[in-house]
Amino acid sequence: DQQVKQNSPSLSVQEGRISILNCDYTNSMFDYFLWYKKYPAEGPTFLISISSIKDKNEDGRFTVFLNKSAKHLSLHIVPSQPGDSAVYFCAASGGGGSNYKLTFGKGTLLTVNP
Amino acid sequence: GAGVSQTPSNKVTEKGKYVELRCDPISGHTALYWYRQSLGQGPEFLIYFQGTGAADDSGLPNDRFFAVRPEGSVSTLKIQRTERGDSAVYLCASSLIHRGGGEGYTFGSGTRLTVV
């Protein structure tokens, strides 16, 4: 039973356009959501996060939106750059005192074409 | 060190053998985590250490898997009687304290384990 789902295995966009990566979750106990970026042969690196008490968090070109009623979040990257090409993982934590434990989705491979 | 160091970066072993995977966290980080990423999947939680003790080992798949952190720094993940299904990238992360939400995690580059 996958509690965090990224239904798009891959996404391809043109440089300068917007990239939108989506993520759905099923566990209503999750109260913190994160996006990680991963290059080949490297570990995931933290990108941006959002608490369940907010619906938007912005950091430069990256914005995360949270829709709690739909149990859906999305990562917007604008403008997209070729260096953004990587696998993006959505992750969630919280509930039952185990907020150190991250539950990851399967990831979306983003390719930004020059 | 500057980052989380994992050794070896690659390990090929025969089915049934014993392996040890090492994680050297960022100096001063008291919390340490092991995750496993199988092909086509996201990382999955294995175990969390706070200092020397395993605070949560609920993600270890079975009793063939064991992890230690005897001095509260370096950790070793040990797998006995390896099976082909154990093939995956094993990721280690550390944080200064257990940071709620995982924002403070720094991951290592992982050890790619292949069981043949």
Side-chain angles (χ1 to χ4, degrees):
Chain A
D1 176 32
Q2 236 193 328
Q3 299 186 68
V4 177
K5 300 177 186 178
Q6 294 177 257
N7 292 320
S8 297
S10 63
L11 174 68
S12 183
V13 300
Q14 285 300 118
E15 181 178 5
R17 304 297 290 270
I18 185 171
S19 297
I20 301 176
L21 297 98
N22 293 303
C23 177
D24 297 292
Y25 63 96
T26 57
N27 188 341
S28 58
M29 296 295 288
F30 289 144
D31 59 9
Y32 208 79
F33 303 91
L34 308 93
W35 286 92
Y36 279 81
K37 178 178 180 180
K38 187 181 183 303
Y39 293 117
E42 295 184 12
T45 55
F46 169 76
L47 190 59
I48 192 169
S49 64
I50 188 166
S51 164
S52 60
I53 62 173
K54 296 186 176 182
D55 56 16
K56 177 182 174 181
N57 188 27
E58 190 172 354
D59 184 2
R61 296 185 298 114
F62 303 92
T63 303
V64 57
F65 296 92
L66 175 62
N67 182 334
K68 278 187 65 178
S69 60
K71 294 191 176 66
H72 176 83
L73 64 154
S74 60
L75 174 68
H76 293 211
I77 307 173
V78 58
S80 301
Q81 299 173 353
D84 296 330
S85 298
V87 176
Y88 288 78
F89 289 101
C90 173
S93 70
S98 62
N99 59 350
Y100 51 80
K101 185 188 301 186
L102 299 181
T103 301
F104 285 85
K106 291 187 177 183
T108 297
L109 173 62
L110 173 66
T111 303
V112 180
N113 301 302
Chain B
V4 177
S5 175
Q6 290 189 247
T7 54
S9 55
N10 281 284
K11 175 72 176 177
V12 180
T13 190
E14 292 182 348
K15 179 175 176 295
K17 299 289 188 183
Y18 167 83
V19 296
E20 289 189 352
L21 311 180
R22 176 187 168 108
C23 173
D24 201 339
I26 292 173
S27 178
H29 279 193
T30 59
L32 184 145
Y33 318 83
W34 284 98
Y35 283 76
R36 177 170 75 171
Q37 185 178 7
S38 300
L39 191 64
Q41 305 293 317
E44 294 177 303
F45 172 81
L46 295 178
I47 187 169
Y48 156 55
F49 286 91
Q50 184 58 250
T52 60
D56 183 350
D57 65 357
S58 63
L60 295 177
N62 51 60
D63 62 6
R64 296 187 296 105
F65 288 75
F66 190 71
V68 295
R69 194 185 185 200
E71 296 178 0
S73 178
V74 171
S75 176
T76 305
L77 178 65
K78 308 180 180 194
I79 311 174
Q80 298 178 321
R81 305 182 304 280
T82 51
E83 300 177 357
R84 292 197 179 90
D86 299 335
S87 297
V89 175
Y90 290 81
L91 293 163
C92 176
S94 69
S95 64
L96 191 59
I97 56 173
H98 123 50
R99 290 283 300 271
E103 188 172 327
Y105 282 18
T106 301
F107 278 92
S109 297
T111 294
R112 180 177 296 279
L113 175 67
T114 304
V115 182
V116 297

